[in-house]
Amino acid sequence: MVRRVALASTAGAALSLGIFIGPAHAQQAAGQTSATLPAVTIDAAKPRTHKRKRSASSSSNTRRAARRSGRPQTQQPPAPVANTATFDARTGTVGYYSNSTSVATKTNTPLLNIAQSVNVVPKQMLEDQATRSITDITRYIPGVSVHQGEGNRDELVIRGVDSSANFFVNGFRDDVQYFRDLYNTQSLEVIKGPSALTFGRGAGGGLVNRTLKEADGQRIYEATAQTGSWGDRRFTIDAGQAVNDKVAVRLNAFYEGSDTFRDFGRLERYGINPTLTWKPTDDTKVKLSYEYYHDKELADRGNPSLAQAGTSRFNPTVPFVPSNDFSKFFGSPIYNNTYADVQTTMAVIDHDFGNGLTVKNSTMYADFNRGYTNVYPGSAATVTGPGTGTMNLSAYQNTTNRENLFNQTDFTYKTFTGPIFHTVAFGTEFGRQTGLGLRNTGFFNGATTVAVNPFNPTYFGPVTFNHLINNPPVNGSTGDSNSVYRLNISSAYAQDQIDVTRWLQLIAGARFDRFDMTATDRNVPGGVTRNRVDDKVSPRAGVIFKPVDNVSLYGAYSISYLPASGDQFSALSDGTLILDPQKFENTEIGAKWNINPKLLWTAALYNLNRTNQPFPVGNGFFVPNGATHTRGFETALNGYVTADWQSILGYAYTDARVARDLSTVFVTGNRVQLVPYNQFSWWNKYQIDPRWAAALGVIYFGNSYASNDDTVRLPGFVRFDAALYWKIDKTWSAQFNVENIFDKGYWASADGNNNLSPGQGRTFRVLARAKF
């Protein structure tokens, strides 16, 4: 039978969630099993311990307005059914199903009522895949592809827009280039299209936000131990509980050490994240968080392409694999490395003023000690005979230390104007980012390249790193950067989500950003300081039509801007100083359907124009004539197909092309790098009985090009993954994951035509989990 639980929405309306109760077995979101699929329950707000004075006329007016708008009165939900699963109200998830998010609109909003494509990866999916990185999990998100990131950072291409900076944590900008871990992640939200109203500059194709675990008062004591291929060893701890009725604490920590499938590959990561929540009154909540995170690993820029005579865009060169061995390392195990030491402190104060007005003030300070060194393929490989040939290696060293300080104040006001209900969000953001951008070129016995045999490409000789500022530069190399910078950000936004009727909703808003960038070029004796200020207004508008409560049809329009200093904004030159920001303009229509109460289907058609891209004209100067154009279709199906079967399915068709020349070789009509026409993924988990579950996943990625010049084509591939889950008893459980079951050789990503990353071969992971 079906049992319904009334869920009070943030707008004061009620959203019905149908809950299956039956004889079938299903896994709970917390990883436990039961003889029935657990009900989703959300308790009504607890009564306040002190009363507010409120006039009878005010209360009756509110009730009359609710009746005029046709909204049902909020009711106390029925008592929860025994052995129910935990529904995370903050992230709106249970199992693989996501009901709502607070990220996309600054207010806690059902996904059905968001006029934008949003993919949420819940904690259960992260645990079931035993994945450790953002780039691993996003292969199951439609419209997202992985950029190599020079082998030293997370970098994604979303809807044809490449970025290493559009990463956020709890809504704060997390834009330094490094590898993140998911040990303390509650859910991962991928928001598609320009989102400047919520997040500010950039984010033209989309962004990724990590919502972290926090001290929520729930008792949790959980530890995991994992081992697997290439000597992997990983340990995690998640412990938390309420100290009393006002204070809760939680601690997440982990350690991981491993080799990799590439020769000399290695990594070491660890982190600790204590959090505290304090409720001095029923109206006020204070949340504190500190994290220390360390990552150090081998930087690997992959393989070169194979040089062939007489090639063209339509007869492309191919990646080079020496003797069909994907493990060969084209670099130096002595020098290649990437490291990040990150300290982050967050403080959040939530307060409810009553009468529909709430405020959240959030502050984050982050210190990034960051750098990397790369010896890498600097040319294509030429084969001269069996096991012989020639190619060049190049080298460089970067230091990119940064400090971020942000403060956000977000007000939410819920009110009626006649029969129309408004959720008004408005607020400010102020930030300062300061840092260093220092690059040194690598020299091999005085030369900027060294020749090696591509069949034996690992280099063990000496490399020295010096700043290259001579004029003209050695061997045509560009001068190295040496810049200190300061970026001041001042922003204000306002947005109104309007419930006109039960079947028509509108959203409209705008954000003003002041981007004040100052950089000192220390290559010039005495230093040259340059400054540029950009003031931009980014609008967003949308309309949602709901013919029935569980179906929404929407249209949306939004704009974002990216200053000419680029994603990492570490320097200004005479050439970039005179350029206007790049502009991202997106038009989107879509549909969302709760097929059953815990299964959501979404689809979107969009048109994204990127303009004002710099076109080089020589001597370090540019004109803003470049443009790209992306048209696409995306669809996803997430949640419980049946009581026993959970699924995350996605498909994307993406046509991303150069619309106006970006350079003499990146010309109109070329496909944008690393963007396939077709992309498909499907992860399925089936609960066999209360103790056993199994999962099977497939990823299809069509062919793409390593660069916008459409010269080196990366062939498409199909990869299969699987997992087996065993609940031993109330304390212990275990899982076995296999990535790339059939040991398929494929090209996973690239960073230009001569840095091509092979995909990881068959990989095993075994994990034991204890819950106390």
Side-chain angles (χ1 to χ4, degrees), residues 687-737:
Q687 193 70 38
I688 301 169
D689 62 30
R691 299 185 65 185
W692 291 94
L696 178 66
V698 59
I699 295 171
Y700 167 72
F701 202 84
N703 69 70
S704 63
Y705 286 99
S707 171
N708 289 342
D709 65 7
D710 287 10
T711 300
V712 177
R713 191 203 307 260
L714 303 180
F717 65 88
V718 178
R719 192 187 87 186
F720 289 89
D721 306 327
L724 185 66
Y725 309 94
W726 178 30
K727 181 173 176 57
I728 302 170
D729 56 30
K730 296 179 73 173
T731 300
W732 291 96
S733 61
Q735 68 187 70
F736 175 65
N737 292 76

Short mmCIF file of all heavy atoms in Angstrom, two decimals, residues 687-737:
data_model
loop_
_atom_site.label_atom_id
_atom_site.label_comp_id
_atom_site.label_asym_id
_atom_site.label_seq_id
_atom_site.Cartn_x
_atom_site.Cartn_y
_atom_site.Cartn_z
N GLN A 687 18.81 -4.27 -4.20
CA GLN A 687 18.82 -4.90 -2.88
C GLN A 687 18.28 -6.32 -3.02
O GLN A 687 17.07 -6.52 -3.18
CB GLN A 687 17.97 -4.10 -1.89
CG GLN A 687 18.17 -4.49 -0.44
CD GLN A 687 19.54 -4.06 0.07
OE1 GLN A 687 20.03 -3.00 -0.28
NE2 GLN A 687 20.15 -4.90 0.89
N ILE A 688 19.16 -7.30 -2.98
CA ILE A 688 18.76 -8.69 -3.20
C ILE A 688 17.95 -9.22 -2.03
O ILE A 688 16.90 -9.86 -2.22
CB ILE A 688 20.02 -9.55 -3.44
CG1 ILE A 688 20.80 -9.01 -4.65
CG2 ILE A 688 19.64 -11.02 -3.64
CD1 ILE A 688 22.18 -9.61 -4.80
N ASP A 689 18.42 -8.99 -0.84
CA ASP A 689 17.72 -9.35 0.39
C ASP A 689 18.25 -8.41 1.48
O ASP A 689 19.05 -7.53 1.19
CB ASP A 689 17.91 -10.83 0.72
CG ASP A 689 19.36 -11.23 0.97
OD1 ASP A 689 20.15 -10.38 1.43
OD2 ASP A 689 19.72 -12.39 0.68
N PRO A 690 17.80 -8.56 2.72
CA PRO A 690 18.25 -7.61 3.76
C PRO A 690 19.75 -7.58 3.97
O PRO A 690 20.27 -6.60 4.52
CB PRO A 690 17.53 -8.10 5.02
CG PRO A 690 16.30 -8.77 4.51
CD PRO A 690 16.70 -9.44 3.24
N ARG A 691 20.49 -8.58 3.50
CA ARG A 691 21.93 -8.61 3.77
C ARG A 691 22.77 -8.31 2.54
O ARG A 691 23.91 -7.85 2.66
CB ARG A 691 22.33 -9.98 4.33
CG ARG A 691 21.65 -10.32 5.65
CD ARG A 691 22.16 -11.63 6.23
NE ARG A 691 23.56 -11.55 6.59
CZ ARG A 691 24.28 -12.59 7.03
NH1 ARG A 691 23.70 -13.79 7.14
NH2 ARG A 691 25.55 -12.45 7.35
N TRP A 692 22.25 -8.59 1.35
CA TRP A 692 23.07 -8.49 0.15
C TRP A 692 22.47 -7.50 -0.85
O TRP A 692 21.26 -7.42 -1.02
CB TRP A 692 23.18 -9.86 -0.54
CG TRP A 692 24.00 -10.85 0.23
CD1 TRP A 692 23.52 -11.78 1.11
CD2 TRP A 692 25.42 -11.00 0.19
NE1 TRP A 692 24.57 -12.51 1.63
CE2 TRP A 692 25.76 -12.04 1.08
CE3 TRP A 692 26.45 -10.35 -0.49
CZ2 TRP A 692 27.06 -12.46 1.29
CZ3 TRP A 692 27.75 -10.75 -0.28
CH2 TRP A 692 28.06 -11.81 0.60
N ALA A 693 23.36 -6.74 -1.49
CA ALA A 693 22.98 -5.85 -2.59
C ALA A 693 24.10 -5.86 -3.61
O ALA A 693 25.27 -6.17 -3.29
CB ALA A 693 22.73 -4.43 -2.08
N ALA A 694 23.75 -5.54 -4.85
CA ALA A 694 24.74 -5.51 -5.93
C ALA A 694 24.49 -4.29 -6.81
O ALA A 694 23.37 -3.77 -6.88
CB ALA A 694 24.68 -6.79 -6.76
N ALA A 695 25.54 -3.82 -7.47
CA ALA A 695 25.42 -2.65 -8.33
C ALA A 695 26.19 -2.87 -9.62
O ALA A 695 27.20 -3.57 -9.65
CB ALA A 695 25.95 -1.41 -7.61
N LEU A 696 25.69 -2.27 -10.68
CA LEU A 696 26.35 -2.31 -11.99
C LEU A 696 26.25 -0.93 -12.62
O LEU A 696 25.18 -0.32 -12.63
CB LEU A 696 25.69 -3.35 -12.90
CG LEU A 696 26.27 -3.46 -14.32
CD1 LEU A 696 27.71 -3.99 -14.26
CD2 LEU A 696 25.41 -4.38 -15.19
N GLY A 697 27.37 -0.46 -13.16
CA GLY A 697 27.38 0.85 -13.80
C GLY A 697 28.04 0.77 -15.17
O GLY A 697 28.90 -0.06 -15.42
N VAL A 698 27.61 1.67 -16.06
CA VAL A 698 28.20 1.76 -17.39
C VAL A 698 28.38 3.24 -17.73
O VAL A 698 27.54 4.07 -17.40
CB VAL A 698 27.33 1.04 -18.45
CG1 VAL A 698 25.93 1.64 -18.50
CG2 VAL A 698 27.98 1.09 -19.82
N ILE A 699 29.50 3.54 -18.38
CA ILE A 699 29.80 4.89 -18.84
C ILE A 699 30.14 4.82 -20.31
O ILE A 699 31.01 4.03 -20.72
CB ILE A 699 30.99 5.51 -18.07
CG1 ILE A 699 30.65 5.69 -16.59
CG2 ILE A 699 31.41 6.84 -18.69
CD1 ILE A 699 31.84 6.09 -15.75
N TYR A 700 29.44 5.61 -21.12
CA TYR A 700 29.79 5.75 -22.53
C TYR A 700 30.16 7.19 -22.79
O TYR A 700 29.44 8.12 -22.39
CB TYR A 700 28.63 5.37 -23.45
CG TYR A 700 28.86 5.81 -24.89
CD1 TYR A 700 29.80 5.15 -25.67
CD2 TYR A 700 28.20 6.91 -25.42
CE1 TYR A 700 30.06 5.56 -26.98
CE2 TYR A 700 28.44 7.33 -26.72
CZ TYR A 700 29.37 6.65 -27.49
OH TYR A 700 29.64 7.08 -28.77
N PHE A 701 31.30 7.37 -23.44
CA PHE A 701 31.80 8.71 -23.73
C PHE A 701 32.20 8.74 -25.19
O PHE A 701 33.07 7.99 -25.61
CB PHE A 701 33.01 8.99 -22.83
CG PHE A 701 33.31 10.45 -22.62
CD1 PHE A 701 32.65 11.16 -21.64
CD2 PHE A 701 34.27 11.09 -23.39
CE1 PHE A 701 32.94 12.50 -21.43
CE2 PHE A 701 34.57 12.42 -23.19
CZ PHE A 701 33.90 13.13 -22.20
N GLY A 702 31.53 9.54 -25.99
CA GLY A 702 31.82 9.61 -27.41
C GLY A 702 33.18 10.25 -27.69
O GLY A 702 33.85 10.76 -26.80
N ASN A 703 33.59 10.23 -28.96
CA ASN A 703 34.89 10.79 -29.30
C ASN A 703 34.90 12.30 -29.09
O ASN A 703 33.87 12.97 -29.18
CB ASN A 703 35.28 10.43 -30.74
CG ASN A 703 34.42 11.12 -31.77
OD1 ASN A 703 34.51 12.33 -31.97
ND2 ASN A 703 33.57 10.35 -32.44
N SER A 704 36.09 12.82 -28.81
CA SER A 704 36.27 14.25 -28.58
C SER A 704 37.66 14.63 -29.04
O SER A 704 38.47 13.77 -29.41
CB SER A 704 36.06 14.59 -27.10
OG SER A 704 37.04 13.95 -26.30
N TYR A 705 37.95 15.92 -29.01
CA TYR A 705 39.26 16.40 -29.40
C TYR A 705 40.02 16.91 -28.19
O TYR A 705 39.45 17.49 -27.26
CB TYR A 705 39.14 17.50 -30.45
CG TYR A 705 38.77 16.98 -31.82
CD1 TYR A 705 37.45 17.03 -32.25
CD2 TYR A 705 39.72 16.42 -32.65
CE1 TYR A 705 37.10 16.55 -33.51
CE2 TYR A 705 39.38 15.93 -33.91
CZ TYR A 705 38.07 15.99 -34.33
OH TYR A 705 37.73 15.50 -35.56
N ALA A 706 41.36 16.71 -28.22
CA ALA A 706 42.20 17.13 -27.11
C ALA A 706 42.38 18.63 -27.04
O ALA A 706 42.75 19.17 -26.00
CB ALA A 706 43.56 16.45 -27.21
N SER A 707 42.12 19.31 -28.15
CA SER A 707 42.30 20.76 -28.20
C SER A 707 41.29 21.35 -29.16
O SER A 707 40.70 20.65 -29.99
CB SER A 707 43.73 21.08 -28.67
OG SER A 707 43.90 22.46 -28.93
N ASN A 708 41.08 22.66 -29.08
CA ASN A 708 40.13 23.33 -29.96
C ASN A 708 40.59 23.38 -31.42
O ASN A 708 39.83 23.81 -32.28
CB ASN A 708 39.90 24.77 -29.49
CG ASN A 708 39.11 24.84 -28.20
OD1 ASN A 708 38.44 23.88 -27.81
ND2 ASN A 708 39.18 25.97 -27.52
N ASP A 709 41.83 22.95 -31.71
CA ASP A 709 42.25 22.93 -33.11
C ASP A 709 41.77 21.68 -33.85
O ASP A 709 41.99 21.54 -35.06
CB ASP A 709 43.77 23.07 -33.23
CG ASP A 709 44.54 21.89 -32.64
OD1 ASP A 709 43.91 20.88 -32.23
OD2 ASP A 709 45.78 21.99 -32.55
N ASP A 710 41.10 20.77 -33.12
CA ASP A 710 40.51 19.56 -33.71
C ASP A 710 41.54 18.73 -34.48
O ASP A 710 41.27 18.20 -35.56
CB ASP A 710 39.34 19.91 -34.64
CG ASP A 710 38.11 20.35 -33.86
OD1 ASP A 710 38.22 20.56 -32.65
OD2 ASP A 710 37.05 20.51 -34.48
N THR A 711 42.72 18.59 -33.92
CA THR A 711 43.79 17.83 -34.57
C THR A 711 43.94 16.43 -33.98
O THR A 711 44.03 15.45 -34.71
CB THR A 711 45.12 18.58 -34.47
OG1 THR A 711 44.99 19.85 -35.11
CG2 THR A 711 46.24 17.80 -35.15
N VAL A 712 43.96 16.33 -32.68
CA VAL A 712 44.15 15.03 -32.02
C VAL A 712 42.82 14.56 -31.46
O VAL A 712 42.25 15.18 -30.56
CB VAL A 712 45.21 15.13 -30.89
CG1 VAL A 712 45.34 13.79 -30.17
CG2 VAL A 712 46.55 15.54 -31.47
N ARG A 713 42.34 13.47 -32.02
CA ARG A 713 41.04 12.94 -31.62
C ARG A 713 41.21 11.87 -30.55
O ARG A 713 42.03 10.95 -30.69
CB ARG A 713 40.31 12.33 -32.83
CG ARG A 713 38.83 12.01 -32.54
CD ARG A 713 38.31 10.93 -33.50
NE ARG A 713 38.54 11.26 -34.89
CZ ARG A 713 37.63 11.79 -35.71
NH1 ARG A 713 36.42 12.05 -35.27
NH2 ARG A 713 37.93 12.04 -36.97
N LEU A 714 40.43 11.99 -29.47
CA LEU A 714 40.38 10.95 -28.44
C LEU A 714 39.21 10.03 -28.75
O LEU A 714 38.06 10.49 -28.76
CB LEU A 714 40.21 11.58 -27.05
CG LEU A 714 41.27 12.61 -26.64
CD1 LEU A 714 40.96 13.15 -25.25
CD2 LEU A 714 42.66 12.00 -26.66
N PRO A 715 39.47 8.75 -29.02
CA PRO A 715 38.37 7.84 -29.38
C PRO A 715 37.37 7.70 -28.26
O PRO A 715 37.69 7.83 -27.07
CB PRO A 715 39.09 6.51 -29.65
CG PRO A 715 40.54 6.87 -29.84
CD PRO A 715 40.77 8.09 -29.01
N GLY A 716 36.13 7.43 -28.61
CA GLY A 716 35.11 7.16 -27.61
C GLY A 716 35.37 5.84 -26.91
O GLY A 716 36.14 4.99 -27.37
N PHE A 717 34.70 5.64 -25.78
CA PHE A 717 34.91 4.40 -25.02
C PHE A 717 33.66 4.04 -24.24
O PHE A 717 32.78 4.87 -23.98
CB PHE A 717 36.11 4.53 -24.07
CG PHE A 717 35.93 5.54 -22.97
CD1 PHE A 717 35.35 5.18 -21.75
CD2 PHE A 717 36.35 6.85 -23.13
CE1 PHE A 717 35.18 6.11 -20.73
CE2 PHE A 717 36.19 7.79 -22.12
CZ PHE A 717 35.60 7.42 -20.92
N VAL A 718 33.60 2.77 -23.84
CA VAL A 718 32.58 2.25 -22.93
C VAL A 718 33.30 1.60 -21.76
O VAL A 718 34.22 0.79 -21.96
CB VAL A 718 31.65 1.24 -23.62
CG1 VAL A 718 30.63 0.69 -22.62
CG2 VAL A 718 30.95 1.86 -24.81
N ARG A 719 32.90 1.93 -20.55
CA ARG A 719 33.51 1.36 -19.35
C ARG A 719 32.42 0.81 -18.44
O ARG A 719 31.36 1.45 -18.26
CB ARG A 719 34.30 2.44 -18.60
CG ARG A 719 35.21 1.89 -17.51
CD ARG A 719 35.82 3.02 -16.70
NE ARG A 719 34.95 3.43 -15.60
CZ ARG A 719 35.19 4.47 -14.81
NH1 ARG A 719 36.26 5.22 -15.02
NH2 ARG A 719 34.37 4.77 -13.82
N PHE A 720 32.66 -0.35 -17.85
CA PHE A 720 31.72 -0.96 -16.92
C PHE A 720 32.32 -1.01 -15.52
O PHE A 720 33.50 -1.35 -15.34
CB PHE A 720 31.35 -2.38 -17.37
CG PHE A 720 30.49 -2.43 -18.59
CD1 PHE A 720 31.08 -2.47 -19.86
CD2 PHE A 720 29.11 -2.42 -18.49
CE1 PHE A 720 30.29 -2.51 -20.99
CE2 PHE A 720 28.32 -2.46 -19.63
CZ PHE A 720 28.91 -2.50 -20.88
N ASP A 721 31.49 -0.69 -14.51
CA ASP A 721 31.88 -0.77 -13.10
C ASP A 721 30.86 -1.64 -12.36
O ASP A 721 29.73 -1.80 -12.83
CB ASP A 721 31.91 0.62 -12.46
CG ASP A 721 32.79 1.61 -13.23
OD1 ASP A 721 33.80 1.17 -13.80
OD2 ASP A 721 32.44 2.81 -13.25
N ALA A 722 31.25 -2.18 -11.21
CA ALA A 722 30.33 -3.02 -10.45
C ALA A 722 30.69 -2.98 -8.96
O ALA A 722 31.80 -2.55 -8.58
CB ALA A 722 30.36 -4.46 -10.95
N ALA A 723 29.75 -3.43 -8.15
CA ALA A 723 29.99 -3.48 -6.70
C ALA A 723 29.09 -4.53 -6.07
O ALA A 723 28.02 -4.84 -6.59
CB ALA A 723 29.76 -2.11 -6.06
N LEU A 724 29.54 -5.05 -4.93
CA LEU A 724 28.77 -6.01 -4.13
C LEU A 724 28.80 -5.54 -2.69
O LEU A 724 29.85 -5.16 -2.16
CB LEU A 724 29.39 -7.41 -4.25
CG LEU A 724 28.63 -8.56 -3.57
CD1 LEU A 724 27.29 -8.79 -4.26
CD2 LEU A 724 29.47 -9.84 -3.61
N TYR A 725 27.62 -5.57 -2.03
CA TYR A 725 27.48 -5.05 -0.67
C TYR A 725 26.95 -6.15 0.25
O TYR A 725 26.01 -6.87 -0.10
CB TYR A 725 26.52 -3.85 -0.65
CG TYR A 725 26.87 -2.80 -1.68
CD1 TYR A 725 26.26 -2.81 -2.93
CD2 TYR A 725 27.81 -1.82 -1.42
CE1 TYR A 725 26.56 -1.86 -3.89
CE2 TYR A 725 28.12 -0.87 -2.36
CZ TYR A 725 27.50 -0.90 -3.60
OH TYR A 725 27.82 0.04 -4.55
N TRP A 726 27.54 -6.23 1.45
CA TRP A 726 27.18 -7.29 2.40
C TRP A 726 27.01 -6.68 3.78
O TRP A 726 27.94 -6.08 4.32
CB TRP A 726 28.28 -8.35 2.41
CG TRP A 726 28.04 -9.48 3.39
CD1 TRP A 726 26.86 -9.97 3.81
CD2 TRP A 726 29.06 -10.25 4.04
NE1 TRP A 726 27.04 -11.01 4.69
CE2 TRP A 726 28.39 -11.21 4.85
CE3 TRP A 726 30.44 -10.24 4.02
CZ2 TRP A 726 29.08 -12.13 5.62
CZ3 TRP A 726 31.14 -11.16 4.79
CH2 TRP A 726 30.45 -12.10 5.58
N LYS A 727 25.80 -6.78 4.32
CA LYS A 727 25.56 -6.35 5.70
C LYS A 727 25.73 -7.56 6.60
O LYS A 727 24.91 -8.48 6.60
CB LYS A 727 24.15 -5.76 5.85
CG LYS A 727 23.88 -5.28 7.26
CD LYS A 727 22.57 -4.54 7.36
CE LYS A 727 22.28 -4.16 8.80
NZ LYS A 727 23.35 -3.34 9.40
N ILE A 728 26.79 -7.56 7.38
CA ILE A 728 27.14 -8.74 8.18
C ILE A 728 26.27 -8.81 9.42
O ILE A 728 25.68 -9.85 9.73
CB ILE A 728 28.63 -8.68 8.55
CG1 ILE A 728 29.48 -8.61 7.27
CG2 ILE A 728 29.02 -9.89 9.41
CD1 ILE A 728 30.94 -8.31 7.53
N ASP A 729 26.17 -7.71 10.15
CA ASP A 729 25.30 -7.63 11.32
C ASP A 729 25.01 -6.16 11.57
O ASP A 729 25.26 -5.31 10.71
CB ASP A 729 25.93 -8.32 12.55
CG ASP A 729 27.30 -7.78 12.90
OD1 ASP A 729 27.55 -6.58 12.64
OD2 ASP A 729 28.14 -8.53 13.43
N LYS A 730 24.50 -5.83 12.77
CA LYS A 730 24.10 -4.46 13.04
C LYS A 730 25.30 -3.52 13.09
O LYS A 730 25.15 -2.31 12.88
CB LYS A 730 23.34 -4.39 14.36
CG LYS A 730 22.03 -5.18 14.35
CD LYS A 730 21.32 -5.12 15.68
CE LYS A 730 20.70 -3.76 15.91
NZ LYS A 730 19.85 -3.74 17.13
N THR A 731 26.48 -4.08 13.33
CA THR A 731 27.68 -3.25 13.44
C THR A 731 28.50 -3.24 12.15
O THR A 731 28.95 -2.19 11.70
CB THR A 731 28.57 -3.75 14.60
OG1 THR A 731 27.83 -3.68 15.81
CG2 THR A 731 29.85 -2.93 14.71
N TRP A 732 28.67 -4.40 11.55
CA TRP A 732 29.63 -4.54 10.46
C TRP A 732 28.95 -4.68 9.10
O TRP A 732 27.92 -5.34 8.97
CB TRP A 732 30.52 -5.76 10.69
CG TRP A 732 31.46 -5.59 11.84
CD1 TRP A 732 31.28 -6.03 13.13
CD2 TRP A 732 32.72 -4.93 11.81
NE1 TRP A 732 32.34 -5.68 13.90
CE2 TRP A 732 33.26 -5.01 13.13
CE3 TRP A 732 33.46 -4.30 10.82
CZ2 TRP A 732 34.50 -4.47 13.45
CZ3 TRP A 732 34.70 -3.75 11.15
CH2 TRP A 732 35.20 -3.84 12.45
N SER A 733 29.57 -4.05 8.10
CA SER A 733 29.18 -4.25 6.71
C SER A 733 30.44 -4.16 5.85
O SER A 733 31.48 -3.66 6.30
CB SER A 733 28.15 -3.21 6.25
OG SER A 733 28.67 -1.90 6.36
N ALA A 734 30.33 -4.63 4.61
CA ALA A 734 31.49 -4.64 3.72
C ALA A 734 31.02 -4.42 2.29
O ALA A 734 29.86 -4.67 1.96
CB ALA A 734 32.25 -5.95 3.84
N GLN A 735 31.94 -3.96 1.45
CA GLN A 735 31.62 -3.82 0.04
C GLN A 735 32.87 -4.08 -0.81
O GLN A 735 34.00 -3.88 -0.36
CB GLN A 735 31.05 -2.45 -0.27
CG GLN A 735 31.98 -1.28 -0.13
CD GLN A 735 31.26 0.05 -0.31
OE1 GLN A 735 30.46 0.45 0.54
NE2 GLN A 735 31.56 0.75 -1.40
N PHE A 736 32.61 -4.50 -2.03
CA PHE A 736 33.67 -4.83 -2.99
C PHE A 736 33.35 -4.11 -4.29
O PHE A 736 32.30 -4.33 -4.88
CB PHE A 736 33.73 -6.35 -3.20
CG PHE A 736 34.71 -6.77 -4.25
CD1 PHE A 736 36.06 -6.56 -4.09
CD2 PHE A 736 34.27 -7.40 -5.42
CE1 PHE A 736 36.97 -6.96 -5.07
CE2 PHE A 736 35.16 -7.81 -6.40
CZ PHE A 736 36.52 -7.59 -6.22
N ASN A 737 34.23 -3.20 -4.71
CA ASN A 737 34.02 -2.42 -5.92
C ASN A 737 35.04 -2.79 -6.99
O ASN A 737 36.23 -3.01 -6.67
CB ASN A 737 34.14 -0.92 -5.63
CG ASN A 737 33.02 -0.39 -4.77
OD1 ASN A 737 32.99 -0.60 -3.56
ND2 ASN A 737 32.08 0.31 -5.40
#
